[in-house]
Amino acid sequence: MFTLHIDTSRTWRGGQNQVLLTVLGLRKRGHRTALVMRSDSELSQRSPDHADNFSLNPRMESDIQAGWRLSKLLQSLRPNIVHAHDAHAVSIALIARLLTPKHHPLPVVASRRVDFHVGHNVFSRWKYAQVDHFLCASRAIHNMLIEDGIHTERVTVVHEGIDLARIDNAPFLDLHEEFSLPIGCPVIGNVAALVPHKGQACLVEAAHQVLKEVPEARFLIVGTGVLEEILRHQIHSLNLERKVILTGFRNDVLSILKSLDLFAMSSLTEGLGTSVLDAMAAHQAVVATRAGGIPESVVDGETGFLTSVGDANNMSRAIVSLLKDSDRRQAFGKAGRQRAQQLFNDDRMVEQTTDVYAAQVDTTHATDKGHHDEK
């Protein structure tokens, strides 16, 4: 099986980590795998050097020139499957397929990791009608695609995977020294891009309420994004400086996760939430919203607490409850680790993804044979 993977993002988020885990997992199993990515991307920086790594820098979603270059690459490499890992990658892959001679059947599989509806403009309707199969990171996304008119036979749930060994091998970090926190204070962490749908404004408000009952608590919000200045203003207006810390981008996220007392995820929408999975794998109890696919990872009352979306009062109460109950916090963390290990490991993710590839190749060959027989 020879698969070609495309990701057009410049930044590093959960989706890009999934791309890398998929590609490396396939290569480990002996599958030939080409990876097409931006030359200026974090994915390019983090991907091990390989002969089947290629650069493509589309200027826009419907970049015909980029599609032409990808078409030439497809004709040269002749993969069995093209796997597009983001929305722009889907567009470029489909344009490239249009420009590729028809004698080479080429299924396009698309990952869907966001829990919002597909666009209703003409281009979006065309694009999503052309995708042969969707890999959904959660049942919530699966159900949303069905609502949007995608036939159930074209949709498969493959939960995202996590590299447990990488988490286990990450060193612990003295958060109190690193961020100049009071000795012994409990530390609650959040890891996500600072964008509206991640809901950190709600988390800051929840922190304000938590500190009324647990004044020694401290919050770390790890990530960068367009909301950084807005969040800084909110923190300042609530007099939370040095109590709620925006750390910016960190290369040691896993070490931070392992060293927390509690993980909090305040998303307003969420496909599944790889940060939540990482936190569970790091033995952390989780307080999270019921957004999107999060209830598929966090079991309320077993691995953490689920709260209503956008409800700072509910979130603050859940955080306070766990800060005051270390035994329950540890029990949740242990159960979360077991759940992550059983259901969300990267080996399972790669195996299920490979099954989808095989089914698509079989279907394409059967269809192509039928066309030849008719002739």
Side-chain angles (χ1 to χ4, degrees):
M1 178 75 68
F2 178 16
T3 56
L4 183 143
H5 299 254
I6 311 171
D7 184 90
T8 67
S9 177
R10 287 186 174 90
T11 60
W12 181 263
R13 296 186 183 178
Q16 286 63 57
N17 188 47
Q18 293 303 302
V19 176
L20 192 55
L21 286 176
T22 301
V23 168
L24 296 181
L26 288 167
R27 288 173 178 171
K28 180 181 176 181
R29 286 164 174 75
H31 297 288
R32 187 180 176 190
T33 306
L35 176 56
V36 178
M37 53 198 161
R38 300 188 68 92
S39 60
D40 58 349
S41 67
E42 279 289 326
L43 179 59
S44 178
Q45 294 297 316
R46 298 182 188 220
S47 298
D49 290 337
H50 196 281
D52 279 330
N53 288 354
F54 302 93
S55 295
L56 187 70
N57 300 310
R59 297 165 297 172
M60 62 189 77
E61 181 174 7
S62 55
D63 188 333
I64 302 298
Q65 187 176 8
W68 178 255
R69 289 197 298 272
L70 180 60
S71 172
K72 292 299 184 183
L73 185 62
L74 294 177
Q75 293 176 60
S76 172
L77 297 178
R78 297 180 65 84
N80 304 109
I81 291 276
V82 173
H83 186 162
H85 286 269
D86 64 87
H88 286 196
V90 173
S91 301
I92 301 299
L94 293 173
I95 291 170
R97 185 167 68 175
L98 282 175
L99 299 172
T100 301
K102 301 299 182 184
H103 62 261
H104 177 41
L106 193 60
V108 173
V109 171
S111 284
R112 187 75 176 172
R113 298 187 174 99
V114 293
D115 71 328
F116 51 79
H117 291 280
V118 300
H120 294 295
N121 59 67
V122 173
F123 183 72
S124 289
R125 288 200 301 270
W126 171 82
K127 178 171 73 172
Y128 289 103
Q130 300 306 309
V131 172
D132 294 282
H133 207 84
F134 292 90
L135 291 176
C136 301
S138 65
R139 286 190 297 274
I141 297 172
H142 170 281
N143 295 340
M144 191 164 283
L145 286 181
I146 300 303
E147 290 175 17
D148 288 338
I150 307 297
H151 196 279
T152 184
E153 292 181 354
R154 296 171 57 210
V155 185
T156 299
V157 176
V158 176
H159 286 124
E160 295 178 325
I162 47 176
D163 186 345
L164 291 160
R166 184 164 172 260
I167 292 172
D168 290 344
N169 292 332
F172 285 90
L173 181 65
D174 187 338
L175 299 178
H176 301 83
E177 179 178 347
E178 179 72 16
F179 297 103
S180 301
L181 305 178
I183 296 174
C185 72
V187 184
I188 303 95
N190 169 269
V191 177
L194 307 185
V195 292
H197 74 271
K198 295 295 185 179
Q200 285 98 342
C202 179
L203 179 59
V204 172
E205 177 56 39
H208 184 229
Q209 297 179 35
V210 168
L211 287 160
K212 294 176 182 178
E213 295 194 50
V214 189
E216 67 274 18
R218 295 295 183 268
F219 289 77
L220 300 177
I221 298 178
V222 182
T224 59
V226 295
L227 290 187
E228 185 169 347
E229 288 306 312
I230 293 173
L231 291 171
R232 288 192 188 281
H233 178 75
Q234 181 187 12
I235 290 167
H236 175 74
S237 67
L238 294 172
N239 296 314
L240 297 178
E241 290 96 341
R242 303 308 311 160
K243 296 180 180 179
V244 178
I245 299 169
L246 302 181
T247 73
F249 180 80
R250 300 281 303 200
N251 286 314
D252 54 355
V253 168
L254 296 182
S255 292
I256 292 174
L257 279 175
K258 291 179 68 170
S259 308
L260 296 169
D261 294 284
L262 182 64
F263 184 79
M265 195 71 172
S266 50
S267 300
L268 308 181
T269 66
E270 190 67 64
L272 181 64
T274 53
S275 291
V276 173
L277 301 180
D278 285 340
M280 290 166 56
H283 297 87
Q284 294 295 343
V286 176
V287 173
T289 65
R290 292 186 175 86
I294 291 178
E296 297 172 40
S297 57
V298 179
V299 181
D300 191 32
E302 182 178 321
T303 67
F305 286 135
L306 292 173
T307 69
S308 301
V309 173
D311 188 341
N313 291 329
N314 196 353
M315 178 162 280
S316 66
R317 287 194 295 270
I319 291 172
V320 169
S321 172
L322 285 175
L323 290 180
K324 293 183 175 182
D325 191 343
S326 61
D327 289 343
R328 192 172 203 183
R329 203 165 65 237
Q330 290 175 13
F332 281 179
K334 181 179 179 180
R337 167 67 185 209
Q338 292 173 345
R339 184 170 176 80
Q341 193 165 356
Q342 292 171 1
L343 300 179
F344 301 105
N345 65 80
D346 57 342
D347 285 334
R348 174 211 47 82
M349 181 269 290
V350 173
E351 181 179 349
Q352 292 180 357
T353 299
T354 305
D355 289 344
V356 172
Y357 294 159
Q360 286 305 300
V361 169
D362 288 346
T363 300
T364 301
H365 285 171
T367 302
D368 191 51
K369 182 178 183 301
H371 290 164
H372 284 295
D373 291 344
E374 290 174 6
K375 295 176 183 178

